[in-house]
Amino acid sequence: MGLTDGMKAMEFAKRVPAWPQRLRWFPLAGAVVTGGMTLVMPVAVVRSLAGNELATIFAGVAMTLLAAFATVGLAGVAGVRHLRLSKRIVVCQDDVGAGIAIPSRHHLAPLLVALGATAVVGLVVAAGWFLGVDAGPLAAEDRGQAHLLTGGGIALSVLFVAFLGFHSVKEVRLYPGGVRRMVTLRRLWSTRTVETFVSWDDVVEFEADEQVVRGALEGRNPIIWLVSGPALPESSRLQFDKPDRMRLDAHLLVAEPNTLLTVLSVLRESAPLRRSLADPGATALLTPPPLRSRLWPQQSRPLAPERAEPQ
């Protein structure tokens, strides 16, 4: 099976998603509100520049960034995500050979911006009260409120440093010879990378699963389990791995989860298609279906099954 035939096969398989993508109206309404704030806040910043109001400028810029990232985050929760093939999915060449590199999303960026922007707003408003500088409509009313804002700003700054200093970066690479997961663990000044490689001949199957996150808006994060015939080396297993299962956090990768699962499953069954992973255009295999067909699959016309069968 060539690259073109493989793409046809996966186009058919993508129409039966393991994790259906639905439009959620409440987060979408929130994205519209924060999007409006993103457009309005720069006007306030420009006015502050004209009036030389330094405290209001800092607070306005921080709130603009907060609103912008909140808009992107809420839109993703609402179902508006993976609009096209990510440019960060690239052809790689390393010690294993040529393949496709699928890096993780910048999933911490919205949280870091939210913590940093809120901390800046609180500290700037508090400093404005202590220094007698006008902070505009956000100005603290009394000393107690200024102290509260100072304490809150410091606490959020500590959280910012903690999340920035203790996190992991994940990447999945697909080669003609197998699947490689690379996890870089950052602990302040210490960095450690754990690599796990599984040959296609050792892959039994790929299982779809979910990580359920309870809260005001319940989240179901897609997870893919790579089931291996031989046991995985203990040194290359992470906390949530099992002796014969490697966990791929699909929700943290830049590839659309259903598309990634489909590609992995079809590659496992097709040795000729696996050889095409070394081709320059192999990243096209991970092109997600149009957003409309994912949100409203019943309106999409199915492809002919006989043209989608892997060879």
Side-chain angles (χ1 to χ4, degrees):
M1 178 188 293
L3 184 58
T4 302
D5 293 334
M7 292 179 65
K8 291 179 181 179
M10 282 180 276
E11 279 300 320
F12 177 75
K14 289 174 191 175
R15 300 196 179 259
V16 187
W19 305 282
Q21 189 171 336
R22 299 181 178 89
L23 190 63
R24 307 172 73 176
W25 294 103
F26 183 72
L28 183 61
V32 172
V33 173
T34 55
M37 293 175 59
T38 305
L39 298 176
V40 171
M41 288 305 302
V43 177
V45 173
V46 172
R47 290 179 178 177
S48 300
L49 285 172
N52 199 26
E53 302 171 358
L54 188 60
T56 307
I57 293 172
F58 277 106
V61 171
M63 291 186 67
T64 300
L65 290 174
L66 181 60
F69 275 84
T71 301
V72 175
L74 287 170
V77 173
V80 184
R81 56 184 180 270
H82 299 294
L83 302 182
R84 62 181 183 276
L85 176 66
S86 173
K87 294 182 179 179
R88 297 180 60 209
I89 300 176
V90 298
V91 174
C92 64
Q93 180 74 44
D94 54 28
D95 58 307
V96 176
I100 302 175
I102 310 169
S104 60
R105 298 184 295 109
H106 299 303
H107 58 281
L108 274 183
L111 177 61
L112 291 175
V113 169
L115 291 173
T118 307
V120 168
V121 171
L123 293 175
V124 167
V125 171
W129 191 90
F130 289 117
L131 299 176
V133 178
D134 183 19
L138 300 175
E141 296 180 357
D142 52 39
R143 179 179 292 272
Q145 193 175 79
H147 283 158
L148 181 63
L149 290 171
T150 302
I154 293 174
L156 291 175
S157 298
V158 171
L159 285 175
F160 178 91
V161 173
F163 278 108
L164 187 63
F166 296 87
H167 68 279
S168 61
V169 179
K170 302 180 180 181
E171 182 173 299
V172 173
R173 296 189 177 186
L174 309 180
Y175 306 92
V179 181
R180 186 185 205 178
R181 183 190 64 186
M182 306 170 65
V183 181
T184 301
L185 305 172
R186 302 186 187 280
R187 303 292 181 264
L188 291 179
W189 296 278
S190 173
T191 300
R192 181 169 67 96
T193 300
V194 179
E195 299 184 3
T196 309
F197 181 84
V198 180
S199 169
W200 288 110
D201 294 334
D202 294 335
V203 177
V204 177
E205 63 177 330
F206 292 96
E207 292 183 357
D209 199 357
E210 291 180 337
Q211 178 190 48
V212 180
V213 180
R214 307 292 181 181
L217 290 174
E218 183 180 85
R220 293 183 173 273
N221 299 325
I223 292 173
I224 299 174
W225 289 103
L226 185 158
V227 182
S228 173
L232 301 173
E234 188 174 354
S235 60
S236 65
R237 296 204 303 261
L238 296 177
Q239 178 182 1
F240 297 105
D241 290 336
K242 301 177 182 179
D244 64 338
R245 291 168 180 252
M246 178 171 68
R247 173 169 150 167
L248 305 178
D249 293 321
H251 64 286
L252 296 180
L253 302 175
V254 296
E256 197 274 319
N258 287 298
T259 305
L260 177 60
L261 177 61
T262 299
V263 169
L264 290 171
S265 300
V266 175
L267 287 172
R268 183 185 70 84
E269 299 173 356
S270 175
L273 183 59
R274 294 200 293 267
R275 289 194 289 270
S276 69
L277 290 173
D279 296 344
T283 56
L285 291 171
L286 290 164
T287 302
L291 180 63
R292 179 183 180 86
S293 67
R294 282 180 276 148
L295 295 178
W296 297 282
Q298 68 278 6
Q299 298 180 8
S300 301
R301 185 178 64 182
L303 298 177
E306 61 270 19
R307 296 186 61 187
E309 294 289 340
Q311 302 295 324

